[in-house]
Amino acid sequence: GSRDLRAPGDSFLAPPTLPETMSMSPMFPLYALSLPTLLIASAAISLHQFKLCFVAFVKVANTSRGNAVWQFVQPFLRDIAVVLEGTLGKASGFSPNLTHVMLTSLVLAVVFSAERVRGAILQRK
């Protein structure tokens, strides 16, 4: 069976009360309104940075000049570049759309939330 976790005298209809440390900040409305915009902007910048790295990696992977170590490593890098281009399309033509930006902003939100939860857990210990 389920256990009743209410304190003695608590009513079923009474809303749960938050401890003093968990009260809402007066800055919360500003935070709630600006966070989505900041996440979307961060996601767009992150995807643009990924495109630059993707293009640079493909160019470097297709460069065949270099020393003996490069001559050994370059075929592996070229194979990785072929797989990436097969999955994402040509590096020079990679253009993230709104769906990419929104999904990246969701990933950023999950990462930031998980970090806040981790910090709260560590603070309680």
Side-chain angles (χ1 to χ4, degrees):
S2 64
R3 292 181 26 194
D4 186 9
L5 300 177
R6 292 178 298 126
D10 281 353
S11 165
F12 275 113
L13 301 176
T17 58
L18 294 174
E20 191 68 31
T21 58
M22 294 178 65
S23 63
M24 188 165 52
S25 165
M27 295 299 288
F28 181 76
L30 179 63
Y31 175 76
L33 292 173
S34 62
L35 185 63
T37 304
L38 293 173
L39 285 172
I40 291 169
S42 297
I45 292 168
S46 177
L47 284 168
H48 181 69
Q49 186 176 13
F50 172 76
K51 178 183 178 171
L52 294 175
C53 291
F54 183 32
V55 169
F57 177 77
V58 169
K59 284 184 180 179
V60 167
N62 290 322
T63 302
S64 57
R65 291 179 273 156
N67 60 19
V69 173
W70 179 253
Q71 295 297 329
F72 177 74
V73 172
Q74 193 265 339
F76 299 111
L77 295 179
R78 186 176 45 230
D79 290 343
I80 292 171
V82 166
V83 169
L84 286 173
E85 285 193 316
T87 303
L88 301 172
K90 286 295 212 189
S92 58
F94 179 73
S95 179
N97 59 29
L98 183 60
T99 303
H100 296 120
V101 173
M102 296 308 286
L103 288 173
T104 303
S105 66
L106 283 174
V107 169
L108 290 174
V110 167
V111 168
F112 291 152
S113 296
E115 182 59 29
R116 288 186 68 181
V117 168
R118 187 185 72 83
I121 289 171
L122 289 177
Q123 188 177 17
R124 285 187 165 235
K125 288 185 177 183

